[in-house]
Amino acid sequence: MTLVHLDIDPDAVRNNAEHLLYALGRTAEDVATELMCAGVKGEPEHPGRCPIARYLLDRDARLTGVAVGSDVVHLDLPGGTVCATVPDPVSTFIGLFDIGEYPGLIGSSLPNPLVSPGTTDGTEDRS
């Protein structure tokens, strides 16, 4: 068996993340609309499970984790962590999302609900 070593350029990952964030829109409402259209949901006040984190993780397979702050996003790569700048509209969105301003984007970041004992149909409502 041959192991493949992937050289991941941290600058390219940072640039891609910043491009994705800027492309979300020019206002917090634009950001919310883009995330809603993309079907991305997340949890308020959870830096690694908010819609912005899920959005970035879904769009860049090089990322192993994301932690979102109001000014900076920490992007985890197999070889370390790089930081990307959060544009103002995304920062505003994050603050509003964390106080419940966009309830349509609040939901589990897990892709598939788990079976929940005690429910009549064996599913758990994660929305």
Side-chain angles (χ1 to χ4, degrees):
M1 176 161 97
T2 303
L3 294 177
V4 177
H5 176 71
L6 298 176
D7 285 327
I8 296 175
D9 179 0
D11 290 331
V13 173
R14 176 184 19 262
N15 291 340
N16 184 56
E18 288 178 350
H19 171 77
L20 289 168
L21 293 173
Y22 278 96
L24 284 171
R26 296 166 55 158
T27 67
E29 287 297 320
D30 290 346
V31 173
T33 299
E34 286 295 320
L35 294 171
M36 186 85 62
C37 289
V40 179
K41 292 186 177 189
E43 299 176 40
E45 299 186 37
H46 283 59
R49 297 191 307 245
C50 76
I52 299 297
R54 298 300 314 155
Y55 179 79
L56 292 173
L57 283 166
D58 289 348
R59 279 151 184 80
D60 194 333
R62 299 169 293 185
L63 297 173
T64 59
V66 174
V68 176
S70 60
D71 297 326
V72 103
V73 175
H74 299 272
L75 308 163
D76 296 334
L77 306 169
T81 300
V82 295
C83 296
T85 303
V86 175
D88 289 340
V90 175
S91 181
T92 301
F93 165 81
I94 292 166
L96 293 170
F97 175 77
D98 281 346
I99 62 170
E101 187 67 27
Y102 302 106
L105 292 171
I106 297 174
S108 174
S109 60
L110 297 176
N112 297 312
L114 303 172
V115 172
S116 178
T119 60
T120 57
D121 64 351
T123 60
E124 180 178 334
D125 182 12
R126 291 189 177 257
S127 55

